[in-house]
Amino acid sequence: MERRFHCCLRLYFTPSILGGSVDIARGVSGSQRANVVPGQPISLPNPSALEWFNTAAFCVPGASCVNPVASAFGDAGRNTIEGPGSIILNMSINRSIPIKESRNLDLRFTANNVFNHVNFASINTAVNSLAFGEVTSVGNMRRITVQARFRF
């Protein structure tokens, strides 16, 4: 029997502004950072798929949201949003059954994500998006495969 267990692998995300005017003038989109709202915590005590982090902690740089240096560029740091972790348990069982002198039947049962735990994979970090702060994708669900090989 073979087991592989992965726990608590986390991804980190950077808050950005989709289609920011400073970015468009430079010919790129989505690389301008948001501003951090002072006094607002980034993480939530009980995150959900609809709000993984405190969306009130970030704002679009402008007249209503100015950073300490009054720059048009946001002051949010890179990888400041802690993303969801993952818990994955993979298992496999092998069995070789001798049939005659030089013949064997090899069986292999493999299961990925045995407990079918939901692993959120990505979150929307574009401040001016309607889905800001929401989980946008999940990892693989449970998959079981059976293999048989007859060797002669």
Side-chain angles (χ1 to χ4, degrees):
M1 181 189 295
E2 178 183 336
R3 295 179 300 272
R4 285 183 294 158
F5 179 69
H6 301 283
C7 175
C8 310
L9 302 172
R10 291 202 181 273
L11 297 174
Y12 291 85
F13 298 89
T14 303
S16 62
I17 299 168
L18 187 60
S21 59
V22 175
D23 280 346
I24 293 171
R26 291 186 305 169
V28 296
S29 181
S31 62
Q32 183 179 356
R33 304 255 174 97
N35 276 343
V36 176
V37 176
Q40 288 284 342
I42 296 173
S43 61
L44 292 174
N46 295 313
S48 68
L50 292 177
E51 189 174 24
W52 188 258
F53 58 91
N54 182 10
T55 56
F58 302 101
C59 61
V60 177
S64 61
C65 182
V66 181
N67 59 27
V69 293
S71 169
F73 299 102
D75 63 351
R78 182 174 180 267
N79 295 336
T80 54
I81 300 171
E82 185 176 357
S86 62
I87 299 172
I88 302 170
L89 178 66
N90 300 332
M91 298 178 81
S92 67
I93 298 173
N94 300 321
R95 175 75 176 165
S96 183
I97 303 168
I99 295 176
K100 286 227 174 183
E101 297 167 2
S102 62
R103 295 181 180 121
N104 283 340
L105 179 64
D106 294 335
L107 298 175
R108 180 179 177 101
F109 298 93
T110 305
N112 295 332
N113 194 4
V114 173
F115 298 119
N116 207 23
H117 183 268
V118 177
N119 293 299
F120 297 131
S122 184
I123 52 177
N124 186 334
T125 58
V127 176
N128 53 347
S129 169
L130 294 176
F132 178 53
E134 293 181 9
V135 174
T136 57
S137 67
V138 294
N140 293 333
M141 54 193 221
R142 177 179 30 217
R143 186 169 98 198
I144 299 173
T145 58
V146 178
Q147 299 172 339
R149 179 175 27 176
F150 181 67
R151 292 189 298 165
F152 55 93

